[in-house]
Amino acid sequence: MTPKLHLWLIPVLPLIGAALNGLFGRRFSRQTVAAVALAFCGAAFVLGLWAAALFSFSSLPVPHLESLATWIRAGSFQVDFAFYLDQLSLVMLLVVTGVGFLIHIYSVGYMWQEGGFYRFFSYLNLFMFFMLTLVLANNYLMMFIGWEGVGLASYLLIGFWFTKDSAASAGKKAFIVNRVGDFGFLIALLLLIKHFGSLNFEQVFQSASKMPAEAAEAGLLTAIGLLLMLGAAGKSAQIPLYVWLPDAMEGPTPVSALIHAATMVTAGVYMVARSHVIFDRAPMALMVVAIIGTLTALFAATIGVAQTDIKKVLAYSTISQLGYMFMACGVAAYSAGIFHLMTHAFFKGLLFLAAGSVIHAIGGEQDVRRMGGLKEHIPWTFWTMTMATFAIAGFPPFAGFVSKDAILCRVYSSPYGSSVYWAIGVFTALLTSFYMFRLWFLTFFGQYRGERSGDHGGAHAQPGADAPPEHGHGGIHESPKVMLIPLVILAVLSVAGGWVGSARFEKFLSPVFHARAPASNAEQAAARETRAREHKEEGASEALLTGVSIGAAALGLYLAWLLYHRRPQLPQQIAHALGGFYYAVANKYYVDELYAILFAKPLVDGSTRILWQSIDQDVIDATLDNSADGARHVSDSLRHMQSGNLRSYAGWIAFGAAAVIAYMIWMGTR
């Protein structure tokens, strides 16, 4: 007998936590608020583990579908409240609930002294509900509800400190930019309804699989694929809709870790992978995915090289790593892309949480130029962040090396791939290693460069040259255990999370991406022989590609060591020599300013001068005002006719009677 899974409970549990804290959290103590948030998020994680256990012991049918009720019915078109679990959604489920639960634990310590404590955890649980709805949805419409919901939760969390103008503006920017991508996603859904009559994954993919590949010219599937990619570019911060993500760092650091590193921004990658049947038959759309991912990976990495805010460096790193995932999906290496999605959740979540621990330790400072010499004072943070740094840089045996190497190998060998994609990917890996070790050296090595208590005229004795500041906590201090435990767990996953191996991970996901009718014994034997021969032929080339990837990571480490540890005066000299180019990179190529000139300012000016002043004031308001003035003048004229003079009234009566008689005579003579 198959155990009951009750998939609907997994997203509903965080929703209950959000409702309890949102409605009654003001009356709860902080301990109660934290207990509610952790209990319901943790319960969702436990159910995710239960689902994984059932998968492992083969006691659960795959894929597993649970339909609760009919949502929309119009003729033959029907959408159900239904949840769908297969290998792909199981991976996403464990990532979202597992990493999300760890970040909830970390947030208790990080946000303990902040106002709006209950509101923060209500928003955090609400985000978990929508994200789990997105990954467990059985159809595109439920996915779209989760898609829009995580956008709402992101807006609330980015602008959590809403009294700060930069945070409020960042929340609005994220919300508006995502609407551009969501418009494309919505149009794609309308095309699916019109041409396939359904939004159910299985029905849409079954119909699409019967259509020929649109290799010669663009068609329906290409249009749908491009529109889906537009939606993915908005949610996953790809060119040209990436500009909201760096500003989103205005939110609390746990928000950056959960939403903008580990879960929400990967929704676009998941959606493209889920829609692989459409993209496989639209090579032009697939090529666009690869090009956008490749360019985004390189573009964001170049910007990250010159950033000085510790969270902004990690933000552009996130954009670049998401570009790797889209690069993999664009060459039809969906398993490699999802594999990197999983490992990235581990080490990038750890990087953000460790950065938050650094910020917490030195009283809120985020500029790496004002850090340094911290490794002796916060050893737990230092060692865990070190593991994450080596993981994202791509050093073996860390998780990031395994998944990134899988992407680069597939990009080079795939029929949809290219040596150009591979070369850009390797160069991006070099830049990634360089700017991450730059961050590492500037934060933890050398002498402390920030303000000291004496700079404020305080009564404390002047610290030594490499001493940390004293800011009410006895100087620099390690984070509490409630913040360190998630760091340690994520550090272990950053090291060992990729040891499952790309081949084994691809085999696990193969029923999703290579589903077809069971092969005969002869076909299976022939396929095994072909795979063995291909594996033997590609072994040498894969070893060479792996060696190049490791070499790029090592070169990035060496350059960072040389410039920011061995000879720290060189970066300033190089920046001065580069002149305008350096300042262009440091100012993010002035893309925000360009968008303001091309889009924001014309829209604001147009809405002000045309919609408000010309139409609203000069037409609508003027029409109403003039109508009122005209009525007032007419009534004033009529009022003066009521003079109270009997002779005047008699004269008007006589005049009227004469006019009537004249009209009757004239009509009678006709």
Side-chain angles (χ1 to χ4, degrees):
M1 181 178 177
T2 303
K4 294 290 290 183
L5 189 54
H6 299 298
L7 280 177
W8 61 273
L9 275 175
I10 299 177
V12 166
L13 284 169
L15 179 63
I16 296 173
L20 289 176
N21 278 331
L23 295 174
F24 309 110
R26 188 185 294 271
R27 305 172 190 173
F28 292 164
S29 66
R30 290 177 183 262
Q31 290 84 352
T32 304
V33 170
V36 169
L38 292 178
F40 285 99
C41 181
F45 178 49
V46 170
L47 285 180
L49 292 176
W50 171 242
L54 293 180
F55 262 58
S56 300
F57 293 107
S58 302
S59 58
L60 191 71
V62 182
H64 179 73
L65 174 65
E66 292 183 6
S67 183
L68 303 182
T70 299
W71 180 9
I72 299 173
R73 178 179 291 147
S76 60
F77 176 73
Q78 179 175 319
V79 176
D80 295 335
F81 284 111
F83 296 95
Y84 182 85
L85 189 67
D86 62 359
Q87 289 84 349
L88 176 59
S89 53
L90 178 62
V91 171
M92 293 297 297
L93 171 63
L94 293 177
V95 168
V96 172
T97 56
V99 178
F101 181 56
L102 292 175
I103 295 174
H104 272 68
I105 297 173
Y106 177 93
S107 300
V108 173
Y110 192 88
M111 300 296 294
W112 189 260
Q113 301 297 330
E114 297 290 340
F117 188 77
Y118 77 94
R119 184 165 51 88
F120 177 82
F121 279 99
S122 177
Y123 295 163
L124 216 58
N125 275 183
L126 184 66
F127 167 81
M128 293 291 291
F129 162 70
F130 283 121
M131 190 66 199
L132 290 169
T133 300
L134 189 158
V135 301
L136 292 175
N138 177 55
N139 55 75
Y140 277 108
L141 191 57
M142 278 194 65
M143 176 187 278
F144 187 71
I145 296 301
W147 189 274
E148 293 295 291
V150 294
L152 169 64
S154 175
Y155 165 76
L156 294 172
L157 286 165
I158 294 169
F160 176 75
W161 289 314
F162 56 86
T163 56
K164 190 167 72 169
D165 288 340
S166 58
S169 298
K172 289 184 287 186
K173 184 176 182 179
F175 195 80
I176 293 170
V177 172
N178 271 274
R179 297 289 72 72
V180 178
D182 295 349
F183 178 75
F185 192 2
L186 186 59
I187 298 300
L189 300 193
L190 297 178
L191 288 176
L192 290 174
I193 294 172
K194 176 176 175 58
H195 293 280
F196 298 120
S198 176
L199 292 176
N200 182 278
F201 291 147
E202 291 186 344
Q203 295 179 21
V204 169
F205 298 155
Q206 185 176 10
S207 300
S209 64
K210 299 176 181 177
M211 301 176 66
E214 299 173 349
E217 58 183 13
L220 172 64
L221 295 180
T222 300
I224 293 174
L226 292 176
L227 289 168
L228 290 176
M229 182 56 201
L230 178 60
K235 195 66 70 183
S236 294
Q238 298 293 286
I239 291 175
L241 301 178
Y242 72 92
V243 291
W244 66 270
L245 184 60
D247 288 10
M249 298 302 110
E250 291 291 339
T253 300
V255 173
S256 303
L258 177 63
I259 296 181
H260 309 120
T263 54
M264 189 193 91
V265 291
T266 61
V269 181
Y270 168 74
M271 186 261 282
V272 171
R274 175 60 73 192
S275 307
H276 69 95
V277 175
I278 295 174
F279 283 95
D280 285 344
R281 284 154 184 78
M284 187 179 297
L286 205 62
M287 181 180 66
V288 170
V289 173
I291 292 174
I292 288 178
T294 304
L295 293 179
T296 303
L298 176 62
F299 184 75
T302 60
I303 297 177
V305 167
Q307 297 305 300
T308 56
D309 185 305
I310 187 171
K311 289 175 66 176
K312 288 289 180 69
V313 175
L314 298 180
Y316 282 103
S317 171
T318 297
I319 298 171
S320 182
Q321 295 302 306
L322 289 166
Y324 270 110
M325 300 175 206
F326 278 103
M327 186 196 305
C329 291
V331 299
Y334 304 104
S335 297
I338 298 299
F339 190 28
H340 195 57
L341 182 155
M342 181 186 73
T343 61
H344 177 264
F346 301 150
F347 59 72
K348 185 53 66 63
L350 173 56
L351 283 169
F352 269 108
L353 295 187
S357 183
V358 171
I359 295 168
H360 175 270
I362 57 177
E365 181 61 66
Q366 294 185 199
D367 192 334
V368 294
R369 295 171 298 183
R370 304 179 69 83
M371 299 179 187
L374 301 181
K375 65 185 181 71
E376 303 297 334
H377 304 283
I378 47 174
W380 285 95
T381 301
F382 166 70
W383 284 111
T384 53
M385 194 167 185
T386 297
M387 294 180 187
T389 303
F390 275 86
I392 192 174
F395 281 92
F398 296 89
F401 160 75
V402 182
S403 57
K404 188 181 294 187
D405 183 64
I407 290 177
L408 292 176
C409 288
R410 292 300 302 273
V411 164
Y412 187 85
S413 61
S414 170
Y416 299 100
S418 163
S419 58
V420 175
Y421 296 159
W422 174 82
I424 294 176
V426 171
F427 182 65
T428 302
L430 167 63
L431 293 178
T432 301
S433 178
F434 173 74
Y435 67 68
M436 286 307 305
F437 281 109
R438 167 183 176 265
L439 174 69
W440 188 61
F441 283 118
L442 288 175
T443 303
F444 295 107
F445 293 86
Q447 296 181 341
Y448 185 75
R449 300 176 296 274
E451 291 183 349
R452 300 172 184 84
S453 57
D455 297 334
H456 300 285
H460 299 288
Q462 178 70 25
D466 60 349
E470 304 204 9
H471 49 82
H473 296 277
I476 206 163
H477 56 287
E478 185 63 276
S479 298
K481 290 182 180 179
V482 71
M483 294 171 62
L484 292 178
I485 291 173
L487 295 184
V488 173
I489 296 174
L490 287 173
V492 173
L493 292 173
S494 296
V495 176
W499 291 358
V500 64
S502 60
R504 190 175 301 173
F505 194 83
E506 183 175 357
K507 182 179 179 181
F508 175 74
L509 291 179
S510 61
V512 178
F513 298 126
H514 305 288
R516 65 183 183 91
S520 64
N521 293 334
E523 290 175 334
Q524 293 179 14
R528 283 194 297 269
E529 291 179 4
T530 302
R531 285 195 298 270
R533 184 172 61 255
E534 291 176 349
H535 180 74
K536 187 175 181 180
E537 293 172 353
E538 294 175 359
S541 61
E542 287 187 7
L544 178 61
L545 297 177
T546 299
V548 172
S549 177
I550 297 173
L555 180 58
L557 169 58
Y558 171 74
L559 292 175
W561 172 82
L562 178 65
L563 295 177
Y564 294 97
H565 188 67
R566 184 72 176 85
R567 302 181 64 183
Q569 73 280 4
L570 277 180
Q572 187 63 36
Q573 297 174 7
I574 294 173
H576 181 73
L578 292 175
F581 178 73
Y582 170 78
Y583 291 107
V585 174
N587 288 281
K588 300 159 285 189
Y589 298 106
Y590 301 103
V591 172
D592 283 312
E593 291 79 2
L594 180 63
Y595 279 14
I597 294 172
L598 295 179
F599 303 111
K601 192 174 186 300
L603 285 173
V604 172
D605 290 346
S607 62
T608 300
R609 298 176 183 176
I610 299 175
L611 298 179
W612 174 31
Q613 295 176 350
S614 298
I615 297 178
D616 193 30
Q617 288 186 338
D618 295 346
V619 178
I620 298 175
D621 288 350
T623 300
L624 296 175
D625 294 343
N626 292 336
S627 298
D629 290 340
R632 185 168 58 252
H633 291 312
V634 171
S635 63
D636 187 61
S637 300
L638 294 175
R639 179 175 59 81
H640 283 89
M641 294 176 62
Q642 305 298 321
S643 63
N645 191 319
L646 292 178
R647 286 181 298 177
S648 176
Y649 293 164
W652 282 109
I653 292 173
F655 175 78
V660 171
I661 293 171
Y663 176 75
M664 293 176 66
I665 293 173
W666 179 73
M667 290 295 293
T669 59
R670 293 184 61 185

